[in-house]
């Protein structure tokens, strides 16, 4: 009897989670959107350096391991940002902390960043990594424009894929709660604009 | 959770770019959905006659059709035949299929020197609906262990057993080690994947990044097709079919055996 009850509980749990897949995928895209908002603040030269660092720390909190080392699938690593370009064979891979540090210190008078709306972001299937841990990938496009003396001096368009981890936990009432954390990102610059 | 752009610096992309965005095949999951006609390329009316054929043909890199095939038939005709086979045989692609694999062209360092080689990876079921990618094969010139000297009569001489095979220490010395494979039996079958594992295990070989990535699919009877990402700002972009080979089932099986 206990076994039957356990199986029924598991079935309800799994079915419950399956219904939540769309919701989880939306949460993943929202988390990426949140990161983009913080990145915009890190780029904004109207913010003081202290303020830009504040948003860097908020952005790092969105990442698994907060940008420091973590272990998934038995692999110990930190979150990395890989930047490639269709115009060059150079592939640069940096820890996300270093990447954000570079963003904060970019030397432009003004920076504009335009990204795909959260609702339009492409989210891959949700796949189970281990018990109550899932992953999906969020795709979006970002345009960057840097200005000096009122003139645009650099601009590019990049296609980004962000790995997203979702940890499912039960709250005190037994309902599923989903903790969404960002992981590695691959960015491919297609052209200067 | 309120998620609004916190600054006027953060805006949406333009309408034109949105059209490009939606046309693009952005991820492999989306490629599969379009191939299975669960989703249609923008501009294709899903209720129209031949919509499935058009949808599958829209998954080809447009440049593929500009090349003449043997001067007789165009590759477009070949793609149409392929699409008809897919629709007729009701072929579906799924992430969990065992009939597809990834080929990652890797850039790495072997004892500090730049090298490139391929890793083949495929999806393996772990039970309970869970999957993982596994390295099924390594391939590359660096794993060949070509002998430095292919002409001399190199061997362990016939009476070496009487002197406790002292010569074995000589054949592994820096002077002779590049000919190590010539001391083996003829047609020695060296397993490149084992060599890859060994080199990585001992810290001699590291991978810096994946230079290019493609996927090969064997689900369609009589065909093998390859998909890679075309990063460009056109309506025909993203993960697209760039190569289509007509093969018999024996060749398909052989490729599977070779890569697993």
């Amino acid at each position: 009897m206990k076994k039957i009850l356990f199986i029924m509980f598991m079935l309800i749990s799994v079915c419950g989670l399956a219904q939540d897949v769309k919701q989880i995928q939306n949460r993943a895209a929202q988390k990426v959107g949140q990161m983009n908002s913080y990145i915009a603040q890190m780029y904004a030269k109207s913010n003081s350096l202290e303020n830009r660092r504040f948003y860097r720390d908020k952005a790092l909190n969105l990442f698994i391991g907060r940008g420091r080392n973590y272990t998934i699938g038995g692999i110990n690593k930190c979150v990395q940002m890989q930047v490639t370009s269709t115009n060059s064979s150079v592939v640069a891979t940096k820890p996300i902390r270093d990447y954000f540090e570079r963003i904060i210190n970019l030397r432009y008078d003004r920076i504009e960043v335009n990204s795909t709306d959260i609702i339009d972001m492409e989210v891959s299937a949700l796949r189970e990594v281990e018990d109550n841990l899932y992953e999906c990938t969020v795709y979006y496009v970002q345009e960057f424009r840097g200005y000096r003396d009122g003139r645009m001096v650099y601009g590019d368009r990049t296609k980004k894929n962000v790995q997203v981890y979702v940890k499912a936990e039960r709250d005190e009432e037994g309902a599923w709660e989903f903790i969404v954390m960002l992981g590695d990102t691959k960015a491919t610059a297609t052209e200067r604009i | 959770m309120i998620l609004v752009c916190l600054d006027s610096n953060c805006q949406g992309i333009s309408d034109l770019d949105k059209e490009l965005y939606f046309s693009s095949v952005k991820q492999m999951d989306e490629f599969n959905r379009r191939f299975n006609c669960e989703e249609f390329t923008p501009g294709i009316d899903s209720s129209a006659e031949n919509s499935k054929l058009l949808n599958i043909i829209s998954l080809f890199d447009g440049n593929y059709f500009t090349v003449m095939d043997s001067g007789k038939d165009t590759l477009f005709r070949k793609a149409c035949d392929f699409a008809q086979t897919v629709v007729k045989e009701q072929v579906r692609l799924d992430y969990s299929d065992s009939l597809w694999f990834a080929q990652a062209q890797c850039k790495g360092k072997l004892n500090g020197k730049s090298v490139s080689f391929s890793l083949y990876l495929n999806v393996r079921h772990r039970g309970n609906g869970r999957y993982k990618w596994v390295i099924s094969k390594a391939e590359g010139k660096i794993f060949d262990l070509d002998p430095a000297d292919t002409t001399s009569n190199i061997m362990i001489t016939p009476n070496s057993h009487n002197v406790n095979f002292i010569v074995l220490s000589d054949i592994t010395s820096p002077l002779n080690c590049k000919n190590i494979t010539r001391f083996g039996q003829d047609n020695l079958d060296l397993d490149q994947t084992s060599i890859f594992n060994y080199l990585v295990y001992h810290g001699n070989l590291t991978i810096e990044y994946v230079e290019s990535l493609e996927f090969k699919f064997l689900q369609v009877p009589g065909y093998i097709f390859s998909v890679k990402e075309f990063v460009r700002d056109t309506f025909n972009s993203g993960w697209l079919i760039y190569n289509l080979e007509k093969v018999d089932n024996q060749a398909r099986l052989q490729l599977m055996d070779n890569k697993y």
Side-chain angles (χ1 to χ4, degrees):
Chain A
M1 186 62 184
K2 269 185 183 174
K3 202 171 177 180
I4 292 168
L5 281 173
F6 175 75
I7 290 167
M8 282 177 69
F9 174 77
M10 288 303 291
L11 277 173
I12 291 164
S13 301
V14 170
C15 292
L17 201 59
Q19 284 170 0
D20 287 328
V21 165
K22 192 67 207 163
Q23 188 200 336
I24 295 170
Q25 288 172 319
N26 290 341
R27 291 277 307 279
Q30 284 170 356
K31 195 65 93 174
V32 171
Q34 197 174 10
M35 174 188 69
N36 285 338
S37 298
Y38 292 150
I39 285 178
Q41 290 298 316
M42 287 154 62
Y43 276 132
K45 293 297 173 184
S46 53
N47 287 334
S48 65
L49 182 61
E50 189 186 19
N51 216 357
R52 295 204 298 275
R53 283 183 176 148
F54 168 79
Y55 282 107
R56 174 200 60 191
D57 293 343
K58 281 184 85 73
L60 283 171
N61 283 340
L62 303 177
F63 286 85
I64 187 163
R66 298 184 173 186
R68 298 196 189 281
N69 275 35
Y70 65 93
T71 302
I72 276 191
I75 300 170
N76 186 270
K77 68 187 292 297
C78 69
V79 173
Q80 307 234 57
M81 170 67 123
Q82 187 171 83
V83 182
T84 61
S85 168
T86 52
N87 302 317
S88 142
S89 58
V90 176
V91 177
T93 309
K94 287 175 191 280
I96 197 75
R97 283 181 168 269
D98 296 353
Y99 176 75
F100 283 167
E101 197 60 35
R102 196 183 70 89
I103 284 180
I104 286 174
N105 293 307
L106 277 179
R107 291 182 182 177
Y108 294 103
D109 299 338
R110 185 167 67 88
I111 290 168
E112 274 180 15
V113 185
N114 305 324
S115 302
T116 304
D117 295 334
I118 292 170
I119 198 168
D120 294 331
M121 289 180 181
E122 179 73 22
V123 186
S124 76
L126 195 66
R127 299 192 168 97
E128 193 173 3
V129 178
E130 52 192 57
D131 283 349
N132 300 325
L133 181 70
Y134 302 82
E135 68 175 13
C136 61
T137 315
V138 177
Y139 174 101
Y140 66 100
V141 176
Q142 193 165 66
E143 289 175 357
F144 173 97
R145 290 180 179 84
Y147 295 85
R148 275 194 207 118
D149 300 325
R151 281 192 320 116
M152 190 179 92
V153 290
Y154 180 79
D156 69 16
R157 186 178 290 123
T158 57
K159 323 237 169 193
K160 298 193 173 187
N161 264 303
V162 186
Q163 188 86 311
V164 180
Y165 296 100
V166 182
K167 203 170 180 184
E169 289 182 353
R170 286 193 180 278
D171 63 17
E172 287 171 355
E173 285 152 13
W176 284 115
E177 194 176 300
F178 303 109
I179 299 159
V180 181
M181 300 162 289
L182 306 179
D184 288 344
T185 298
K186 180 181 181 294
T188 307
T190 54
E191 62 171 318
R192 292 197 171 187
I193 53 178
Chain B
M1 188 183 296
I2 300 169
L3 282 168
V4 291
C5 283
L6 300 173
D7 189 276
S8 58
N9 287 350
C10 183
Q11 303 160 7
I13 55 176
S14 69
D15 288 343
L16 174 64
D17 288 343
K18 269 193 173 183
E19 284 182 35
L20 289 171
Y21 178 83
F22 288 121
S23 287
S24 176
V25 187
K26 296 171 278 298
Q27 295 181 336
M28 284 307 295
D29 283 347
E30 190 174 37
F31 178 89
N32 286 358
R33 288 201 304 276
R34 290 195 189 179
F35 189 94
N36 297 339
C37 293
E38 295 156 357
E39 178 184 310
F40 283 80
T41 298
I44 295 177
D45 177 2
S46 60
S47 60
E49 194 185 358
N50 292 337
S51 61
K52 287 186 176 178
L53 292 178
L54 287 173
N55 208 38
I56 292 162
I57 290 167
S58 76
L59 290 174
F60 277 80
D61 166 27
N63 295 327
Y64 181 79
F65 301 131
T66 61
V67 185
M68 292 295 284
D69 184 12
S70 310
K72 288 181 180 175
D73 202 358
T74 63
L75 292 173
F76 182 71
R77 183 68 254 161
K78 192 171 164 186
C80 290
D81 291 345
F82 166 78
Q84 275 168 348
T85 304
V86 172
V87 173
K88 188 179 158 205
E89 302 283 337
Q90 299 183 328
V91 179
R92 285 179 53 82
L93 304 182
D94 193 271
Y95 169 85
S96 61
D97 283 348
S98 58
L99 291 168
W100 71 303
F101 58 86
Q103 182 178 358
Q105 185 67 30
C106 302
K107 279 276 183 194
K109 288 265 163 80
L110 175 61
N111 296 326
K113 285 185 184 169
S114 291
V115 290
S116 61
F117 56 92
S118 286
L119 289 182
Y120 295 88
L121 300 104
N122 61 289
V123 173
R124 277 281 184 267
H125 190 221
R126 293 192 291 145
N128 298 326
R130 293 175 184 175
Y131 297 89
K132 63 176 178 179
W133 283 98
V134 294
I135 298 170
S136 47
K137 185 175 177 165
E139 193 176 81
K141 192 80 184 132
I142 62 162
F143 308 122
D144 273 353
L145 309 188
D146 286 335
D149 185 343
T150 54
T151 52
S152 309
N153 196 10
I154 292 177
M155 71 180 98
I156 299 170
T157 51
N159 245 5
S160 298
H161 62 294
N162 287 330
V163 289
N164 202 30
F165 288 112
I166 294 170
V167 71
L168 290 180
S169 72
D170 297 313
I171 69 171
T172 56
S173 73
L175 276 176
N176 299 302
C177 65
K178 297 290 184 205
N179 289 318
I180 186 63
T181 54
R182 295 211 53 203
F183 298 104
Q185 59 187 354
D186 294 343
N187 306 320
L188 184 67
D189 189 17
L190 289 171
D191 172 10
Q192 296 203 335
T193 311
S194 299
I195 296 169
F196 162 77
N197 285 332
Y198 178 88
L199 291 172
V200 172
Y201 184 89
H202 288 287
N204 302 101
L205 178 64
T206 54
I207 294 173
E208 297 193 307
Y209 57 87
V210 173
E211 189 180 32
S212 66
L213 179 64
E214 63 178 83
F215 298 94
K216 288 194 191 296
F217 292 83
L218 297 91
Q219 286 92 333
V220 183
Y223 293 95
I224 295 170
F225 66 95
S226 309
V227 173
K228 69 177 179 183
E229 190 178 22
F230 292 85
V231 183
R232 58 194 176 201
D233 290 320
T234 69
F235 290 100
N236 177 237
S237 67
W239 293 95
L240 299 168
I241 300 170
Y242 78 97
N243 190 38
L244 176 67
E245 290 172 59
K246 206 159 174 21
V247 293
D248 57 27
N249 280 339
Q250 190 61 32
R252 281 168 71 218
L253 289 174
Q254 211 166 13
L255 183 64
M256 288 300 292
D257 287 346
N258 191 23
K259 296 293 175 258
Y260 292 91

